[in-house]
Amino acid sequence: MADQAFVTLATNDNYAKGAMVLGRSLRTHKTSRNLVALIGPHVTEPAREVLQKIYDEVRLVDLLDSKDSAHLALMKRPDLGVTFTKLHCWTLTHYSKCVFMDADTLVLSNVDELFDREELSAAPDPGWPDCFNSGVFVFRPSNETYRQLIRLCTEDGSFDGGDQGVLNSFFSNWATADIAKHLPFIYNLSSIAIYSYLPAFKQYGSDAKVVHFLGKMKPWNYSYDAKTKSVKGHSQDPSTLHPDYLLKWWDIYSGTVLSMMKEQYGSQPFYSGCEDTFIETASPPPAVTCDRYKDEIHHGVSQIHVSPPPAPTISSEERKQKWEQGQADYMGMDSFENIQRKLDSFLN
């Protein structure tokens, strides 16, 4: 399958870490397709070297290059710089079909069957299901499609300020034209959407094939203790990730990626995120509180329960307002465990 490839994008060293873990997860689950990483000019040389050990092709995409066909468009719409970078995946015309995956996704099993789908196949976005989420999608590289997308960006911009708005405007009939182009949610499971429909996650979560770490907090924003296999994170953040998938990400990163990073960085300091390795003098992620996780098999689904620090008591009205504002304490009083216990009490 040399004419088909999984494609991702890393615009800086943090997202490069995500791309490294994504690539390793695809390799671990024995994909038969090529792996391609598009990288921005801010990805440092050591990170590029690691990506080249994991991916079959690493291509630099520099929108400031005057030879770039998106250059003039970028001058008119500088707010869409990252979006233009992502659209470069359509220029990979030496491939007949590709699957794009954001660098903050993680593959949980082989997903080569995605190549049986046609352009533009994607999963519904949990926030507005008549739109697709652009974190995972099947496409056919085409210079003509690329030019049309750039033209659309220049003339109309993006209704959400990013690539998802542009792509949904371009492939505007996705919601109604062909149900075969609607990927099941298990191919783009939003880790923070789990909490919006817990019974469904309990029923179908074990079938998930790709998890997408949506939200401001990414796996690399946490730190990890490899000895105790525990993750440290901000337990009060409304975008806190499901701890089971978070640990899977760190297991791959600490088990296979970190050794390659150490080799490439050599004596150069870098922020590893792991407590037992050298940490650079540059600022690490924001100060976080320590949460300990333990494995427990519950109703056939592996859960990792959290023991967060005591949270300040708030009234029912304040708690309701936080939920309505999207600020639920997903790792504290509104954790998966506590909500499920409440549901079970009603069902029983």
Side-chain angles (χ1 to χ4, degrees), residues 327-346:
Q327 298 177 357
D329 180 11
Y330 294 124
M331 297 292 276
M333 72 175 94
D334 301 317
S335 68
F336 183 97
E337 179 184 21
N338 290 339
I339 296 175
Q340 182 168 298
R341 186 184 299 114
K342 190 71 172 178
L343 286 172
D344 289 340
S345 69
F346 282 121

Side-chain angles (χ1 to χ4, degrees), residues 59-80:
R59 176 176 292 199
L60 176 64
V61 181
D62 187 352
L63 288 175
L64 298 180
D65 186 340
S66 60
K67 297 178 182 180
D68 194 313
S69 61
H71 178 66
L72 292 178
L74 178 62
M75 296 301 99
K76 295 180 181 179
R77 296 304 304 257
D79 55 310
L80 296 177

Side-chain angles (χ1 to χ4, degrees), residues 114-228:
L114 286 174
F115 290 90
D116 295 334
R117 305 277 182 152
E118 284 301 324
E119 182 181 76
L120 186 291
S121 292
D125 187 82
W128 193 266
D130 280 343
C131 289
F132 58 83
N133 183 277
S134 60
V136 177
F137 60 85
V138 183
F139 70 101
R140 286 189 176 276
S142 161
N143 286 325
E144 178 57 29
T145 301
Y146 173 71
R147 284 191 289 269
Q148 291 179 20
L149 284 166
I150 294 299
R151 187 181 307 118
L152 177 63
C153 283
T154 307
E155 296 175 355
D156 300 330
S158 169
F159 66 77
D160 69 354
D163 62 271
Q164 184 162 304
V166 171
L167 293 176
N168 271 277
S169 295
F170 188 82
F171 297 98
S172 58
N173 65 350
W174 173 86
T176 57
D178 186 356
I179 193 65
K181 294 182 179 180
H182 289 214
L183 297 181
F185 195 52
I186 60 172
Y187 288 102
N188 192 352
L189 175 65
S190 167
S191 61
I192 59 175
I194 291 169
Y195 296 93
S196 64
Y197 194 3
L198 288 171
F201 178 69
K202 178 179 175 181
Q203 180 72 15
Y204 304 113
S206 60
D207 297 327
K209 293 197 169 188
V210 179
V211 62
H212 190 180
F213 297 107
L214 285 175
K216 293 181 179 179
M217 288 292 286
K218 303 299 182 184
W220 51 83
N221 294 134
Y222 294 74
S223 59
Y224 182 70
D225 187 333
K227 293 181 180 178
T228 61

Side-chain angles (χ1 to χ4, degrees), residues 9-26:
L9 167 67
T11 53
N12 55 43
D13 279 6
N14 281 331
Y15 276 88
K17 290 180 182 178
M20 294 170 196
V21 172
L22 171 61
R24 285 301 309 163
S25 68
L26 284 162

